[in-house]
């Protein structure tokens, strides 16, 4: 039927073929590129950190409440929990037909009720889906003449926001950074002499270092919100913080403790040309084009170098787009070679140039038509789709 139509309406068939070829070329340049297809494993992880706690404390204070809260999550198939030093995480496996977006939302709602149950120093629960897109797509290293604490502050204020506003960036994790902290070392003998304990003084410090809303002031039709600022601004304010004793006398914090400014301990070390460096791990959204996002990030790096000339150096340590380009180009090259070999083999057997030309035209036309279908169904150019086209 179709063959007869093609013979009777050759002009129509040629125009249809040209349309398919044009749409195919448009689809090639607009299809998202990725290393692998968007594969969503039916797993999700809930994680909480609690610094300074051992496995037994983590299990009793964090893991057990998390298990109890997540036990009623809809669609759950199995649950595994691990309690280690400073960290607790629960891995949930869902049924294959479960919508992970709604499942993770359900997990967040369940864990939000634990805020009053978890220890005060524990972090907020973090929920993440397990999949290829959860892996970082680019790793950057930033170095400068500043120390790590200053560099970390500089990155948070001037570098990370530049990348976060790019379309397709899901999150940025900072690795190997340190922060400035205030260290308070108590003299136990002096505490006992004044009849104080570490927990009592610690509560006093926490009560003094706080800002809170104080209500509103109405002046005619004008309403002004009032906020009380009580956070410490420097070490001197901490040292001179008053402590009231049981007999009514007042001492200062420096009378029973030594206060110094120091940096948190770094768990990893990286350097660029001998200078200390901080790593930035960039993850993309599930619908982002890896190659386009990589190009945008590289342009942003050039802009940051120009803006902060001499202040910092940014080096790309890992870029998933390099593997994507290499994989897709390699598969495309193999596909072209396979098509040419197929035409040569057909000509050797048929010994008819006209029949061979029909095959030679139909192979790229069918491939381009496939790209149109891929675009319509929201698929991407990756190793599996390109490999399937090559095989076909």
């Amino acid at each position: 039927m179709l063959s007869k139509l093609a013979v009777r309406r050759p002009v129509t068939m040629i125009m249809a073929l040209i349309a398919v070829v044009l749409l195919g070329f448009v689809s090639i340049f607009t299809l998202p590129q990725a290393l692998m297809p968007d594969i969503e494993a039916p797993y999700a992880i809930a994680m909480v950190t609690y610094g300074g706690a051992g496995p037994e404390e983590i299990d009793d204070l964090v893991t057990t409440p998390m298990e109890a809260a997540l036990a009623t999550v809809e669609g759950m198939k199995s649950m595994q929990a691990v309690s280690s030093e400073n960290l607790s995480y629960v891995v949930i496996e869902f049924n294959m037909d479960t919508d992970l977006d709604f499942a993770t939302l359900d997990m967040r709602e369940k864990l939000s009720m634990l805020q009053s149950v978890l220890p005060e120093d524990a972090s907020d629960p973090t929920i993440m889906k397990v999949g290829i897109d959860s892996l970082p797509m680019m790793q950057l290293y930033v170095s400068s003449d500043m120390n790590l604490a200053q560099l970390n502050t500089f990155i948070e204020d001037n570098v990370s926001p530049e990348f976060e506003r790019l379309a397709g960036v899901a999150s940025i994790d900072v690795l190997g950074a340190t922060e400035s902290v205030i260290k308070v070392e108590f003299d136990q003998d002096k505490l006992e002499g004044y009849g104080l304990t570490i927990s009592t003084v610690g509560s006093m410090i926490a009560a003094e270092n706080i800002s809170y809303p104080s209500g509103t002031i109405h002046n005619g039709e004008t309403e002004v919100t009032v906020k009380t600022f009580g956070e410490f601004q420097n070490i001197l304010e901490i040292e001179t913080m008053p402590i009231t004793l049981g007999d009514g006398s007042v001492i200062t914090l420096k009378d029973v403790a030594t206060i110094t400014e120091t940096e948190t301990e770094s768990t990893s070390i990286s350097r660029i040309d001998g200078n200390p460096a901080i790593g930035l791990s960039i993850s993309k959204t599930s619908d982002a084009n890896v190659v386009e996002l990589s190009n945008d990030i590289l342009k942003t790096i050039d802009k940051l170098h120009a803006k902060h000339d001499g202040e910092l150096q940014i080096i790309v340590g890992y870029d998933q787009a390099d593997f994507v380009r290499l994989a897709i180009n390699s598969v495309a090259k193999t596909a072209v070679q396979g098509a040419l070999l197929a035409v040569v083999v057909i000509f050797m057997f048929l010994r008819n140039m006209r029949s061979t030309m029909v095959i030679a035209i139909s192979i790229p036309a069918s491939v381009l038509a496939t790209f149109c279908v891929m675009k319509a169904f929201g698929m991407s150019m990756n190793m599996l789709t390109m490999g399937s086209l090559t095989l076909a």
Side-chain angles (χ1 to χ4, degrees):
M1 183 73 176
L2 189 60
S3 300
K4 291 181 180 180
L5 180 63
V7 173
R8 293 175 182 175
R9 298 285 189 269
V11 177
T12 304
M13 289 298 103
I14 292 174
M15 296 303 294
L17 181 62
I18 293 175
V20 169
V21 170
L22 290 176
L23 289 174
F25 275 111
V26 171
S27 300
I28 288 176
F29 292 106
T30 56
L31 277 173
Q33 299 179 24
L35 186 62
M36 295 293 288
D38 184 14
I39 301 174
E40 195 173 69
Y43 293 90
I45 299 176
M47 189 165 47
V48 172
T49 58
Y50 182 21
E56 292 184 357
E57 293 175 285
I58 291 287
D59 187 63
D60 292 337
L61 301 177
V62 180
T63 306
T64 300
M66 285 176 63
E67 286 181 298
L70 296 173
T72 58
V73 172
E74 188 175 352
M76 183 177 63
K77 183 178 180 180
S78 64
M79 178 169 56
Q80 295 179 346
V82 177
S83 301
S84 59
E85 188 174 356
N86 303 327
L87 176 65
S88 168
Y89 63 91
V90 179
V91 181
I92 296 181
E93 179 184 3
F94 293 95
N95 298 319
M96 289 300 298
D97 58 348
T98 302
D99 188 326
L100 279 189
D101 291 331
F102 286 105
T104 52
L105 180 61
D106 190 19
M107 291 174 63
R108 288 188 177 90
E109 291 178 352
K110 304 289 186 185
L111 293 179
S112 64
M113 305 176 184
L114 292 180
Q115 297 297 330
S116 60
V117 178
L118 295 178
E120 184 177 346
D121 296 332
S123 67
D124 293 331
T126 301
I127 311 294
M128 56 183 175
K129 294 181 288 187
V130 177
I132 295 176
D133 287 327
S134 62
L135 301 176
M137 59 83 57
M138 184 177 285
Q139 186 84 29
L140 304 178
Y141 292 95
V142 185
S143 68
S144 175
D145 294 332
M146 315 176 206
N147 60 46
L148 285 180
Q150 293 174 332
L151 181 58
N152 182 41
T153 302
F154 184 86
I155 289 174
E156 289 180 351
D157 296 338
N158 302 283
V159 178
S160 293
E162 294 291 335
F163 295 119
E164 289 172 346
R165 64 170 59 104
L166 294 177
V169 173
S171 63
I172 299 177
D173 295 324
V174 180
L175 309 173
T178 61
E179 297 179 351
S180 295
V181 294
I182 303 299
K183 186 177 181 181
V184 180
E185 297 178 288
F186 290 99
D187 187 317
Q188 188 63 38
D189 293 334
K190 291 182 179 180
L191 283 175
E192 293 178 357
Y194 286 112
L196 298 171
T197 63
I198 293 178
S199 60
T200 302
V201 179
S203 300
M204 293 180 181
I205 296 174
E208 289 288 332
N209 187 38
I210 189 173
S211 296
Y212 50 88
S214 301
T216 57
I217 297 176
H218 296 275
N219 184 12
E221 296 181 356
T222 304
E223 182 177 300
V224 180
T225 302
V226 180
K227 183 178 181 181
T228 302
F229 294 93
E231 296 179 357
F232 296 121
Q233 301 299 317
N234 50 57
I235 291 182
L236 180 61
E237 291 184 4
I238 301 175
E239 290 177 336
T240 57
M241 188 195 84
I243 299 175
T244 304
L245 302 179
D247 58 1
S249 58
V250 179
I251 62 172
T252 59
L253 183 60
K254 66 181 180 180
D255 293 330
V256 293
T258 302
I259 299 94
T260 56
E261 185 175 1
T262 184
E263 296 179 3
T264 56
E265 184 178 354
S266 178
T267 56
S268 61
I269 298 176
S270 58
R271 297 183 184 278
I272 299 177
D273 296 334
N275 296 321
I278 292 177
L280 295 180
S281 184
I282 303 177
S283 300
K284 70 178 188 68
T285 57
S286 59
D287 58 344
N289 188 321
V290 175
V291 177
E292 289 183 1
L293 180 57
S294 173
N295 294 334
D296 291 340
I297 293 174
L298 294 177
K299 291 178 183 177
T300 303
I301 292 175
D302 293 337
K303 186 174 72 172
L304 287 170
H305 280 155
K307 183 178 180 180
H308 306 284
D309 186 25
E311 284 188 90
L312 76 164
Q313 181 183 9
I314 304 176
I315 291 180
V316 179
Y318 164 78
D319 187 357
Q320 193 181 92
D322 292 338
F323 297 95
V324 174
R325 296 186 187 98
L326 180 62
I328 292 179
N329 291 338
S330 177
V331 174
K333 182 179 178 181
T334 303
V336 172
Q337 292 173 345
L340 292 176
L341 286 174
V343 171
V344 170
V345 171
I346 289 171
F347 178 74
M348 290 175 61
F349 277 92
L350 297 181
R351 300 297 180 92
N352 187 310
M353 182 57 69
R354 184 176 179 181
S355 300
T356 304
M357 289 303 298
V358 172
I359 302 298
I361 294 174
S362 66
I363 291 177
S366 61
V367 171
L368 291 172
T370 305
F371 282 124
C372 297
V373 177
M374 290 172 59
K375 178 67 176 178
F377 281 89
M379 302 174 68
S380 64
M381 294 175 63
N382 53 69
M383 289 184 63
L384 290 186
T385 54
M386 294 297 291
S388 301
L389 277 176
T390 303
L391 182 61

